[in-house]
Amino acid sequence: MKYNITNKNLAPEGKKRIEWAETKMPVLRLIRKRFKKNKPLRNRRIGCCLHVTTETANLMRTLKAGGAQVFLTASNPLSTQDDVAAALATDDIRIFARNGESRREYYGNMAAVLKGKPEVLIDDGADLISTAHKKRVSGVIGGTEETTTGVIRLKQMEHNKVLQFPIIAVNDSLTKHLFDNRYGTGQSTIDGILRATNMLISGCNFVVAGYGWCGRGLAMRAKGMGAQVIVTEVDPVKALEARMDGYSVMPMTEAAKIGDVFVTVTGDINVITKKHMLKMKNGAIIANSGHFDVEIDKPGLRKITRKKRTIRNSCDEYQLKNEKKIYMLAEGRLVNLAAAEGHPAMVMDMSFANQALAVEYLFNNCNLQNQIYNLPQRLDQEIARLKLKSMGIKIDRLTQEQRRYLSSWKMGT
Ligand code: ADE
């Protein structure tokens, strides 16, 4: 089977939207141009598990331009843009992804990618890499990981000494998490909430669970739109930082009573529990922007629900047994991708430039151990330099004197 998509006729629409994203991805465009000329991935097979968006499509085209045969499956059952999947299928990408696919189909599609005998795996959340390990797939020389949650899982595999090939933690590049996780998640999460609810952010109590880079970005954007932001945290340093950034900080049990909107971005399980939901105000909205749909206790919510109905796209009304109504967006899955389109191309440009360079690096460096690596700093810096250039921004350079000063220790007061 060459592909498994919803509707091939959607391809023209997807193609136009992919072109639009391309105009906002200058760094990836430059890499594609070089790949097209030098073919560094000639005859290589690459298996990808990513959100199937217009930005991902541009990464797929870049890998193909480098000479690779590319296999793609979705990293979430609700994030696939079916028109993009159709356009990729007509562009000879072996794609297996349908929006709304069941869990069974999700893993079936992943198996189809692994059947292509990929040499490098590009992952977002570590489902593809962990499945390859469970199925003892051979022939993989390395992998890359896009997201914080995936890196945490893979570090656990490294710790347990079960990792069978080297991994580049793309998430840990500065040009990835400082921008994608912060500004990307910040904006696209608000975008998802607005599309699903059309609510006014201004004046509401907006609860952000987790103050990592995603939480920081989200809190910043909610505040910018006039919300009263409350942060919940378990890490004392992050909690302190949130307080000094100007937000209220309190435990979820207290926030539950006053929040109008709740968004989880912790990467952990059962952050909003049944106990919290029973305390919430009538009309409270709950959403998740962390990678997996485990942050809100969905089985617990079902247990305390009398009646459920879908009231708008990506917005389910739960009438609780205590007679209050609460609203869950996008079934508790990534609200920014399931109810909106994910991060804007402008920021995915840097994330996917990291991915393209990480794949090239893996093929060029066959002596890596079965460990987690960062992309070398010089490549991270190069991506920032190219991005600045594309934005028409020039910066200063160290003078000889400054360089000498920084490398000496003798000059003091
Ligand atoms: N993750 C978050 N936003 C994304 C996007 N637009 N494309 C692919 N992966 C993403």
Side-chain angles (χ1 to χ4, degrees):
M1 192 167 60
K2 271 193 161 179
Y3 52 79
N4 174 27
I5 57 172
T6 295
N7 182 355
K8 212 175 166 186
N9 296 332
L10 299 174
E13 190 58 30
K15 193 164 176 296
K16 278 190 289 179
R17 295 200 313 110
I18 293 166
E19 280 174 31
W20 168 253
E22 185 191 359
T23 66
K24 307 278 183 282
M25 302 182 88
V27 181
L28 197 62
R29 272 204 317 270
L30 278 177
I31 295 171
R32 190 163 98 214
K33 202 165 152 199
R34 177 170 66 77
F35 275 17
K36 194 169 172 192
K37 187 159 160 245
N38 302 340
K39 299 281 180 218
L41 310 177
R42 192 190 300 279
N43 296 333
R44 300 296 200 169
R45 288 183 311 279
I46 302 173
C48 312
C49 177
L50 294 165
H51 301 294
V52 179
T53 64
T54 56
E55 293 75 28
T56 296
N58 277 290
L59 174 62
M60 299 300 101
R61 292 177 65 206
T62 304
L63 301 175
K64 200 177 149 217
Q69 187 175 16
V70 185
F71 301 80
L72 172 64
T73 186
S75 55
N76 186 295
L78 288 189
S79 63
T80 297
Q81 297 170 9
D82 284 325
D83 58 340
V84 170
L88 285 172
T90 59
D91 209 9
D92 200 28
I93 303 292
R94 309 290 171 94
I95 172 154
F96 309 91
R98 296 187 326 111
N99 190 298
E101 64 197 17
S102 65
R103 190 168 188 277
R104 188 149 178 254
E105 191 176 1
Y106 176 80
Y107 279 102
N109 286 336
M110 203 163 293
V113 163
L114 294 173
K115 244 185 167 176
K117 303 212 169 306
E119 296 156 275
V120 160
L121 304 178
I122 301 182
D123 214 346
D124 185 337
D127 275 349
L128 183 62
I129 294 175
S130 62
T131 303
H133 277 76
K134 282 182 207 145
K135 293 186 172 223
R136 299 181 189 282
V137 171
S138 60
V140 179
I141 64 143
T144 70
E145 173 52 53
E146 171 78 6
T147 199
T148 316
T149 295
V151 172
I152 292 170
R153 287 177 86 186
L154 293 165
K155 283 198 169 148
Q156 210 47 52
M157 290 172 74
E158 180 188 39
H159 179 76
N160 293 348
K161 299 199 176 2
V162 295
L163 206 53
Q164 292 297 310
F165 42 79
I167 302 288
I168 310 265
V170 160
N171 180 71
D172 294 359
S173 291
L174 297 179
T175 50
K176 200 282 184 178
H177 66 264
L178 291 182
F179 303 92
D180 169 315
N181 301 28
R182 182 166 36 173
Y183 305 113
T185 307
Q187 178 170 317
S188 61
T189 300
I190 299 273
D191 185 11
I193 294 169
L194 293 183
R195 291 194 206 198
T197 64
N198 196 26
M199 68 171 291
L200 183 69
I201 303 278
S202 187
C204 76
N205 288 332
F206 195 107
V207 182
V208 177
Y211 205 62
W213 288 111
C214 296
R216 289 178 182 111
L218 178 57
M220 190 189 344
R221 289 295 171 257
K223 182 180 179 179
M225 293 183 81
Q228 294 287 325
V229 176
I230 297 165
V231 172
T232 69
E233 244 305 337
V234 291
D235 179 323
V237 176
K238 287 183 182 157
L240 194 57
E241 187 187 354
R243 179 65 201 170
M244 296 217 180
D245 283 345
Y247 307 118
S248 299
V249 176
M250 61 185 77
M252 183 59 87
T253 33
E254 281 177 40
K257 293 182 247 169
I258 52 178
D260 297 301
V261 188
F262 297 79
V263 187
T264 51
V265 266
T266 69
D268 212 338
I269 194 165
N270 291 340
V271 175
I272 295 182
T273 63
K274 204 164 64 175
K275 193 179 83 192
H276 298 133
M277 290 183 271
L278 284 169
K279 286 203 167 99
M280 286 179 187
K281 294 195 285 192
N282 188 39
I285 293 166
I286 51 177
N288 165 53
S289 222
H291 187 80
F292 289 116
D293 63 336
V294 296
E295 304 209 15
I296 299 168
D297 176 13
K298 296 201 292 183
L301 174 57
R302 276 195 291 275
K303 279 193 200 126
I304 57 170
T305 295
R306 189 191 301 287
K307 211 164 110 200
K308 176 194 159 194
R309 63 176 174 152
T310 298
I311 192 151
R312 289 170 58 95
N313 280 345
S314 306
C315 181
D316 291 335
E317 178 187 83
Y318 289 81
Q319 179 158 10
L320 305 187
K321 289 178 183 163
N322 67 9
E323 290 313 322
K324 287 187 222 167
K325 287 176 180 165
I326 64 173
Y327 298 86
M328 183 160 67
L329 309 187
E331 300 172 22
R333 293 194 187 273
L334 284 158
V335 70
N336 60 336
L337 280 139
E341 294 171 63
H343 306 349
M346 175 75 175
V347 81
M348 293 311 294
D349 186 27
M350 285 190 282
S351 310
F352 285 165
N354 273 280
Q355 286 286 8
L357 297 188
V359 169
E360 185 182 34
Y361 185 81
L362 281 169
F363 281 123
N364 289 342
N365 291 274
C366 298
N367 52 350
L368 300 176
Q369 308 293 305
N370 296 344
Q371 290 172 8
I372 316 270
Y373 292 87
N374 279 7
L375 195 65
Q377 195 192 22
R378 70 183 159 78
L379 296 176
D380 201 0
Q381 293 251 316
E382 183 60 16
I383 290 168
R385 244 189 295 278
L386 291 173
K387 191 68 175 176
L388 280 170
K389 193 167 170 212
S390 77
M391 296 164 83
I393 298 170
K394 295 194 176 110
I395 58 171
D396 291 325
R397 276 175 185 272
L398 291 175
T399 63
Q400 282 281 7
E401 182 195 28
Q402 288 171 328
R403 213 180 288 279
R404 256 199 318 275
Y405 178 79
L406 289 177
S407 62
S408 78
W409 52 271
K410 290 187 179 156
M411 208 189 297
T413 311

